Amino acid sequence: MAQSDVDVVVVGAGFAGMYLLHELRKTGFSYRVLEAGDDVGGTWYWNRYPGARCDIATTDYQYSWDPELHDQWQWSEKHAAQPEILRYAQFVAKKHDLYSGIEFNTRVDGAEWNEVAKRWSIHTSTGETIICQHYVMATGCLSVPKEPDIAGTEKFTGNVYVTGRWPHEGVDFTGKRVAVIGTGSSGIQSIPHIADQAKELVIFQRTPNFSMPAFNGPAPQYRVERLKADRATYEHEARYSGTGVPLEDSTVSALSVTQEEAFAMLEEAWQKGELLSLGNTFMDSAINRKANDVVAEFMRMKVRSVVKDPEVAELLSPYKHGYGTKRPCMDTGYFETFNKPHVRLVDLNTQPIRSITETGIDFGKESMEFDAIVYATGFDAMTGAIVNVDIAGKDGVTLKNKWENGPLTYLGLTSVGFPNLYMITGPGSPSVLSNMMVSIEQHVDWIRDTLVHMREQGFETIEPTPLAEEGWRVHCTDCADITIFQEANSWYMGANVPGKPRVMFPYIGGVGRYRMACEEVVAKGYLGFELGSGDKKQCNDGLVREVQPDVDMVLDFISTLNLPAMETMSPTEARAFSEASSAMRPSGPEVGEITDGVLQGADGNLEYRLYRPATPGPHPIAVYFHGGGWVFGSHTSDDPLCRDLCAQSNTLIVSVNYRHAPEAPFPAAAEDGFAAVKWVHANAAALGGIPEKIAVAGWSAGGNVAAVTAQMARDTGGPQLSGQLLLCPVTDGSQQHASHRENGERFILTKSLMEWFWNHYATPDQRKNPQASPLLAASLAGLPPTMLVTCQFDPLRDEGNAYARALMQAGVQVEHVEARGHIHTSITMVDMLPSGAPHRREMARALRGFFN
Ligand code: NAP
């Protein structure tokens, strides 16, 4: 083994570095902890602007690793101010003798990995080079103030202050003419205090922000009581919660209540004075624009109720970004400040800054003189502190170069090409979207455990694999894609720093889900990491999260319900159960008209439901066959999907209630399907459709009926079909495909449920008939253009894939979508699972394409 000066170098002595130092000592690693400031506290050391406070309540923003602290330290307020939090950090540092382990006034200027020695060389501002095995960046997410990007900043001869680098001795603005640029959290907290002193205060606002009063005071009693009663449970809940603060997840859609009801619920959350309570009032405000608008309008109403000048109130009201998509703020008297006669708001959208001058600011058509300018313009967040240090990994590639198009990490903790480098609350982890204390402790614990594991197992290096890192990037993107966060020009998206790549920097899948992913990685033998020492290697490569995040949440939710397996029920019970479940889902989009009727099936009348587009007809027609394993479901059971297809494809959908097994087994469904298509063709004009433009469509067993119907139409002289749209179709009764085993459990449609369906529908012999298993048809040539969608975690995936391949080989025009991360049911869950929406758009586009 190569020599090191120490096992671990830690950069930063904020709450992350302090805790890590404690743990390194406890586990017997040698270390150097380097800190640029001259005291502990990190963010709370640097951000000393007036009014600086933590937005997370003191009941939650404190260490949990030293239980004694809970008795030894008493917080004076619900939202502690910066000096008190700094004192807390100092108290902990003294109590645990951390000061003796930290080298202050020491920066890291550069670091490089030596692939031969398997060691990092860390270069410090004191001219030293430290050789270490592990290198931990505990540098914080919001520690590098953004470079000024306003013309003329260097010219100003008055006093200049930056909120993130506030003078330790404080600033007295009494009698001064002051300009504040920026209305994020730092601006919103400091402005009321500056206004109290200044003779004249002008606030330059580019984007108004959502802010609610902190209602500061004693810690919230209901939290204190819960903590006292059972701290362990409280902390456990925090660790597995969405944000690192125990909150009950909402199950109410903002769109399912009247505005009056919604505002009453929001008022209750508002009165709590807790940052996360408003965003948590409704289940859909982060994923649905309209739902978010309800919260945003409530917030704007609050601004109007405080700010006396309606024009100023309007300027202070955010319209361009959704609530929560930029970090919302907590304030004390912020909006009230604008009622003061010596305070003025300048809207930079109509009066942009032309230049900072020697004596003040030229903006719009005006010039104003100031004694002081306060920049509350934010940070080069998440990555600034990491890439500002020249960190060169394998082959000399720097992290800055690697991250040119956005940070690439595995779990936000590590990065390919940078062995033994760890980031605490790095990009790709919940970090700034969480209670930092909870996230910091989790990362420190993970790093400590990993170092101990490596030592015990004799591994020298750990590095994520490219597959795992790319998988994590995809998962992070999937999580962001189902939210509306990407619409906002926020620092979460890197949008505040010119030239920064526009990606979602933090992980938005939630603290608890993230923690479970980290735990799973370890439990699976460091899944996605390569551990090595000389010739000894261990690599269990793979992806930790592959299911779409919203699908995963639904699966988790369902697993908590302990529902009986459908295959243990009688068909009658299963039908009732299926109907009851369907009753709870959103109804889907509006269409022009919905009518019910009867059509002639193969053996008597069948009910149908017709969905007519809102546009003038006649329209092309898709005859749709519902899912339900030939046993349950009806012409109305796939209502949301049918509405969606109708509205998006401008196609008339006729959903057919074919006969069900076991009462009407094979070939009843197939024969009814074909009879229905013939009837629709014959009656197309009367239905308002175009007889020459008829397609079939279906999901699951309905996809089977559609596929079989298309073959029957081909083989028995019509009608001529324009296309077939098959979503997760059953195509092969043998059930021998690998996906039946791989996806046979957990994903709603299970292997045993599929067997139950087949057992009710067709005997083993009958399953060999192409009218039960369309994949077994002698030829697939001459079938209409096909859109076939298969889902990665569907037991039916491989038989669907096989059908797509067979159709292509037979010369059929096929568009095959393999829906990554989806399960058998997820694409049908309209307005519930945003990740299914792009696939439904594709399906609708294909349907339109059939008819052109
Ligand atoms: P910020 O949220 O990024 O706000 C910066 C403000 O400056 C924004 O209003 C921004 O406008 C404006 N700005 C930036 N460049 C500008 C320019 N060239 N011209 C005009 N205006 C410009 O930064 P922050 O307020 O320092 O807060 C950063 C984060 O730190 C917070 O979101 C929060 O996570 C954390 N923080 C927390 C607390 C707390 O817990 N109490 C307190 C302070 C900070 P645009 O919006 O148009 O970009």
Side-chain angles (χ1 to χ4, degrees):
M1 261 196 199
Q3 288 299 305
S4 302
D5 298 327
V6 286
D7 296 325
V8 190
V9 164
V10 180
V11 186
F15 283 117
M18 289 167 62
Y19 176 39
L20 183 56
L21 165 58
H22 181 267
E23 295 305 287
L24 291 174
R25 277 181 177 164
K26 200 171 84 183
T27 45
F29 288 98
S30 60
Y31 57 83
R32 298 273 298 267
V33 179
L34 314 175
E35 164 58 50
D38 61 13
D39 202 346
V40 295
T43 210
W44 303 104
Y45 170 89
W46 298 104
N47 286 274
R48 297 170 187 244
Y49 60 83
R53 264 177 208 286
C54 185
D55 284 344
I56 299 288
T58 43
T59 40
D60 303 282
Y61 194 84
Q62 54 180 331
Y63 280 139
S64 72
W65 56 267
D66 175 5
E68 286 177 9
L69 285 172
H70 305 315
D71 296 324
Q72 292 168 342
W73 182 268
Q74 297 306 320
W75 295 101
S76 68
E77 294 176 285
K78 176 171 74 165
H79 296 286
Q82 174 270 333
E84 188 174 14
I85 304 175
L86 183 57
R87 280 200 303 279
Y88 175 75
Q90 291 163 337
F91 177 82
V92 177
K94 277 184 205 134
K95 176 180 172 195
H96 290 282
D97 185 29
L98 301 180
Y99 279 111
S100 66
I102 302 169
E103 294 159 60
F104 293 100
N105 301 310
T106 309
R107 284 187 172 279
V108 170
D109 294 334
E112 75 258 342
W113 174 252
N114 183 330
E115 179 62 5
V116 178
K118 310 283 185 206
R119 291 293 180 270
W120 281 101
S121 299
I122 312 287
H123 308 292
T124 74
S125 56
T126 55
E128 201 187 348
T129 294
I130 309 168
I131 310 293
C132 61
Q133 188 180 352
H134 302 281
Y135 171 26
V136 186
M137 294 292 275
T139 37
C141 298
L142 296 156
S143 43
V144 176
K146 189 179 95 148
E147 291 291 323
D149 52 357
I150 300 171
T153 40
E154 70 293 347
K155 291 188 199 152
F156 187 64
T157 52
N159 292 323
V160 173
Y161 303 102
V162 177
T163 47
R165 290 285 179 271
W166 205 256
H168 286 201
E169 62 281 9
V171 181
D172 184 1
F173 290 109
T174 308
K176 299 276 195 293
R177 297 163 302 171
V178 184
V180 176
I181 303 176
T183 50
S185 291
S186 305
I188 281 178
Q189 286 190 330
S190 57
I191 282 165
H193 293 264
I194 298 173
D196 280 348
Q197 294 181 335
K199 180 170 80 180
E200 190 181 352
L201 174 62
V202 182
I203 292 127
F204 291 86
Q205 172 189 275
R206 188 161 69 184
T207 311
N209 220 335
F210 293 103
S211 186
M212 64 184 283
F215 295 125
N216 210 8
Q221 201 50 33
Y222 78 103
R223 287 203 176 278
V224 173
E225 275 162 19
R226 279 197 59 202
L227 270 168
K228 272 194 188 146
D230 187 354
R231 179 173 286 278
T233 303
Y234 186 96
E235 287 173 350
H236 180 84
E237 275 179 31
R239 290 176 190 136
Y240 289 91
S241 65
T243 52
V245 175
L247 285 174
E248 211 167 299
D249 288 333
S250 171
T251 52
V252 182
S253 162
L255 304 175
S256 68
V257 290
T258 63
Q259 195 195 53
E260 202 182 357
E261 288 164 338
F263 278 22
M265 291 166 74
L266 289 164
E267 182 64 35
E268 201 179 310
W270 171 275
Q271 290 301 336
K272 282 192 181 148
E274 289 185 20
L275 180 70
L276 304 167
S277 54
L278 273 173
N280 208 47
T281 306
F282 298 112
M283 62 190 263
D284 46 1
S285 59
I287 57 172
N288 183 312
R289 212 359 152 157
K290 280 192 197 141
N292 191 288
D293 280 345
V294 175
V295 185
E297 184 48 31
F298 173 82
M299 298 296 282
R300 292 189 285 261
M301 177 272 288
K302 287 289 187 186
V303 177
R304 291 193 289 270
S305 73
V306 174
V307 180
K308 291 190 181 133
D309 181 334
E311 270 177 38
V312 177
E314 198 57 10
L315 288 177
L316 288 166
S317 299
Y319 284 96
K320 290 190 181 152
H321 65 278
Y323 177 81
T325 60
K326 287 178 104 141
R327 163 73 145 73
C329 307
M330 298 206 83
D331 68 89
T332 304
Y334 175 64
F335 292 111
E336 289 81 349
T337 304
F338 293 89
N339 293 333
K340 296 187 173 176
H342 68 295
V343 176
R344 174 179 171 194
L345 180 68
V346 171
D347 172 22
L348 292 178
N349 298 295
T350 51
Q351 294 183 282
I353 293 178
R354 285 180 281 120
S355 179
I356 310 272
T357 64
E358 272 184 26
T359 52
I361 301 180
D362 291 348
F363 61 96
K365 291 184 177 146
E366 295 183 52
S367 296
M368 285 189 79
E369 301 212 327
F370 294 105
D371 302 308
I373 298 179
V374 175
Y375 290 97
T377 43
F379 297 88
D380 184 353
M382 305 286 306
T383 50
I386 301 174
V387 298
N388 275 6
V389 177
D390 243 343
I391 303 176
K394 282 175 166 175
D395 306 322
V397 175
T398 63
L399 211 44
K400 190 174 185 165
N401 285 342
K402 181 183 166 183
W403 286 3
E404 231 166 36
N405 298 316
L408 294 170
T409 71
Y410 183 37
L411 303 172
L413 272 162
T414 57
S415 194
V416 173
F418 299 82
N420 297 6
L421 170 72
Y422 313 82
M423 292 157 278
I424 296 186
T425 63
S429 76
S431 56
V432 292
L433 293 175
S434 70
N435 173 3
M436 273 292 184
M437 282 297 199
V438 169
S439 289
I440 282 172
E441 288 191 353
Q442 188 238 334
H443 269 188
V444 170
D445 291 347
W446 194 94
I447 292 168
R448 175 205 60 213
D449 293 347
T450 299
L451 299 192
V452 169
H453 173 81
M454 289 171 70
R455 185 173 59 190
E456 283 172 355
Q457 302 298 316
F459 288 116
E460 240 185 320
T461 56
I462 183 168
E463 185 188 350
T465 68
L467 177 76
E469 183 173 273
E470 172 59 11
W472 190 251
R473 184 195 66 76
V474 168
H475 175 59
C476 290
T477 309
D478 285 344
C479 291
D481 281 350
I482 60 177
T483 72
I484 57 169
F485 273 62
Q486 301 185 75
E487 295 171 11
N489 287 324
S490 65
W491 59 258
Y492 297 148
M493 296 293 303
N496 65 329
V497 175
K500 216 171 164 176
R502 191 183 170 94
V503 293
M504 185 73 180
F505 282 72
Y507 174 75
I508 195 169
V511 165
R513 306 187 79 76
Y514 171 79
R515 178 183 287 263
M516 287 190 276
C518 292
E519 288 169 348
E520 200 175 311
V521 162
V522 174
K524 290 186 172 163
Y526 282 89
L527 177 68
F529 281 106
E530 182 173 304
L531 292 102
S533 184
D535 292 339
K536 179 175 156 182
K537 293 247 175 307
Q538 175 197 307
C539 183
N540 177 15
D541 206 357
L543 306 175
V544 64
R545 285 287 172 271
E546 288 189 89
V547 176
Q548 288 289 338
D550 49 356
V551 176
D552 217 22
M553 285 179 212
V554 167
L555 290 174
D556 281 355
F557 175 69
I558 290 176
S559 73
T560 62
L561 300 178
N562 284 323
L563 298 171
M566 271 183 146
E567 61 271 27
T568 61
M569 302 180 192
S570 70
T572 312
E573 286 165 346
R575 286 168 192 155
F577 180 82
S578 153
E579 272 175 35
S581 320
S582 297
M584 293 188 292
R585 67 196 168 176
S587 56
E590 289 297 316
V591 296
E593 185 191 31
I594 295 180
T595 54
D596 291 340
V598 288
L599 57 74
Q600 207 176 332
D603 184 27
N605 282 344
L606 303 174
E607 293 165 290
Y608 71 83
R609 174 163 283 190
L610 183 148
Y611 304 83
R612 194 184 308 284
T615 54
H619 297 97
I621 307 177
V623 184
Y624 177 85
F625 302 104
H626 64 83
W630 307 283
V631 176
F632 52 79
S634 72
H635 56 306
T636 63
S637 61
D638 292 355
D639 208 70
L641 178 65
C642 290
R643 286 165 175 263
D644 195 73
L645 278 175
C646 170
Q648 291 207 59
S649 66
N650 201 32
T651 300
L652 204 147
I653 309 284
V654 180
S655 172
V656 181
N657 194 14
Y658 53 88
R659 281 171 296 158
H660 294 134
E663 295 85 347
F666 175 80
E671 288 177 347
D672 276 349
F674 185 42
V677 167
K678 284 195 287 190
W679 185 89
V680 169
H681 179 250
N683 294 278
L687 295 173
I690 306 169
E692 307 76 47
K693 293 189 175 185
I694 295 182
V696 288
W699 165 52
S700 190
N704 171 277
V705 175
V708 169
T709 298
Q711 291 189 10
M712 290 167 87
R714 176 197 62 175
D715 297 342
T716 57
Q720 176 87 36
L721 296 178
S722 305
Q724 55 175 345
L725 168 61
L726 309 176
L727 172 60
C728 306
V730 186
T731 70
D732 182 3
S734 75
Q735 301 177 82
Q736 290 308 308
H737 300 266
S739 54
H740 278 271
R741 291 185 300 281
E742 289 170 18
N743 302 325
E745 288 168 20
R746 186 171 180 244
F747 302 118
I748 298 182
L749 176 64
T750 59
K751 186 174 184 320
S752 50
L753 180 57
M754 199 57 224
E755 270 163 19
W756 185 84
F757 285 144
W758 271 117
N759 290 341
H760 283 303
Y761 183 53
T763 64
D765 255 5
Q766 289 170 334
R767 294 175 206 178
K768 293 177 191 147
N769 187 323
Q771 289 187 8
S773 297
L775 182 64
L776 306 183
S779 165
L780 298 182
L783 286 168
T786 304
M787 161 62 116
L788 200 149
V789 182
T790 52
C791 290
Q792 187 181 1
F793 294 102
D794 183 359
L796 304 184
R797 177 195 66 204
D798 291 351
E799 61 191 75
N801 289 348
Y803 199 56
R805 275 195 308 275
L807 285 164
M808 282 181 220
Q809 277 159 10
V812 176
Q813 186 191 322
V814 179
E815 200 177 340
H816 180 197
V817 171
E818 294 176 80
R820 183 178 52 76
H822 277 281
I823 62 171
H824 186 72
T825 49
S826 50
I827 291 178
T828 67
M829 296 168 87
V830 178
D831 289 341
M832 284 177 78
L833 297 181
S835 64
H839 298 305
R840 286 195 302 275
R841 274 199 293 280
E842 287 289 284
M843 284 161 45
R845 180 192 48 71
L847 205 48
R848 279 198 307 275
F850 291 157
F851 305 118
N852 293 328

